[in-house]
Amino acid sequence: MGEAYTPGLEVNEATVVRKRRVLPIPGKVVVEKGDKVEPETVVAVANIPGPLKTVDVRADLDISIGDVKEAINKWFKVKVGDHVRKGDLLAKRKYFFGRRVKESRAPIDGTIEYISNITGKVHIREPSIPVEVKAYIPGEVVEVLPKEGVIIETLAAFVQGIFGVGGETHGELVVVASPDEVITEDK
């Protein structure tokens, strides 16, 4: 009779499981040591900076490179730190005796992060992307990793092997009797 080899297979009916739950970037831990948690409990949060969009205001206003410094003071309507909405006016230049106008508008919602006084480009940071790390297992927070996450401990049955369900998940594991097993009921 042959044997099947299952790499990494481990089965323990009762063991202490310690699970490290950490953020991908520094953030804030929202639970404390000793707290009881469930799989859906948020244990840490962070905000990943949004993408950066560059707007060539100098080109939009048709300004020469040598005139950028003066143009920033004269025609730019925004400064570093300002919040803008898509379509907001970044800069406006009147020319041809004030009868013609050239404008540069924000292509996205965001915050003005940088204005180059050399190139005349405005860099707008899109809103940050919130990230939450959940406990993943029921248990107790046994250690807090400041600005990073937590370690959670629980008593559990432990079955480890090669098995895929499409990513990190949690739920109840149900064991079904094999079709060859006869279940009888005493009367």
Side-chain angles (χ1 to χ4, degrees), residues 1-55:
M1 184 168 199
E3 288 186 29
Y5 173 69
T6 307
L9 179 63
E10 184 179 337
V11 178
N12 292 312
E13 65 181 68
T15 189
V16 174
V17 174
R18 290 174 65 97
K19 189 73 176 159
R20 183 181 171 95
R21 304 298 293 154
V22 295
L23 291 161
I25 62 171
K28 180 180 179 185
V29 176
V30 297
V31 294
E32 295 178 6
K33 184 175 179 177
D35 285 357
K36 303 288 187 214
V37 294
E38 293 298 321
E40 291 296 320
T41 304
V42 174
V43 296
V45 294
N47 286 310
I48 295 175
L52 194 62
K53 177 75 173 173
T54 302
V55 182

Side-chain angles (χ1 to χ4, degrees), residues 71-92:
I72 289 173
N73 295 328
K74 191 173 182 181
W75 295 315
F76 279 48
K77 306 296 182 190
V78 294
K79 61 185 180 312
V80 172
D82 286 354
H83 295 283
V84 294
R85 312 266 308 145
K86 183 177 181 176
D88 282 356
L89 188 64
L90 299 176
K92 181 178 181 178

Side-chain angles (χ1 to χ4, degrees), residues 28-186:
K28 180 180 179 185
V29 176
V30 297
V31 294
E32 295 178 6
K33 184 175 179 177
D35 285 357
K36 303 288 187 214
V37 294
E38 293 298 321
E40 291 296 320
T41 304
V42 174
V43 296
V45 294
N47 286 310
I48 295 175
L52 194 62
K53 177 75 173 173
T54 302
V55 182
D56 192 348
V57 176
R58 183 197 63 78
D60 291 347
L61 299 185
D62 196 22
I63 303 167
S64 69
I65 283 282
D67 295 333
V68 168
K69 284 183 184 178
E70 180 186 337
I72 289 173
N73 295 328
K74 191 173 182 181
W75 295 315
F76 279 48
K77 306 296 182 190
V78 294
K79 61 185 180 312
V80 172
D82 286 354
H83 295 283
V84 294
R85 312 266 308 145
K86 183 177 181 176
D88 282 356
L89 188 64
L90 299 176
K92 181 178 181 178
R93 177 182 152 227
K94 291 183 180 181
Y95 65 104
F96 194 66
F97 307 108
R99 296 180 149 193
R100 304 260 167 113
V101 176
K102 289 196 181 243
E103 296 179 337
S104 182
R105 295 196 173 267
I108 58 168
D109 294 351
T111 303
I112 306 296
E113 189 164 296
Y114 180 73
I115 299 173
S116 172
N117 62 5
I118 296 171
T119 64
K121 293 184 179 180
V122 173
H123 303 274
I124 304 171
R125 177 76 63 187
E126 290 186 45
S128 60
I129 303 159
V131 175
E132 294 181 339
V133 172
K134 296 181 179 178
Y136 181 59
I137 60 172
E140 180 180 336
V141 176
V142 293
E143 187 176 342
V144 172
L145 310 168
K147 296 184 180 181
E148 191 178 343
V150 297
I151 296 176
I152 300 167
E153 186 175 279
T154 192
L155 182 61
F158 185 79
V159 179
Q160 179 176 305
I162 299 172
F163 177 73
V165 290
E168 188 175 88
T169 189
H170 63 87
E172 190 173 313
L173 184 62
V174 178
V175 179
V176 180
S178 72
D180 297 337
E181 192 175 320
V182 177
I183 301 172
T184 60
E185 189 175 315
D186 291 328

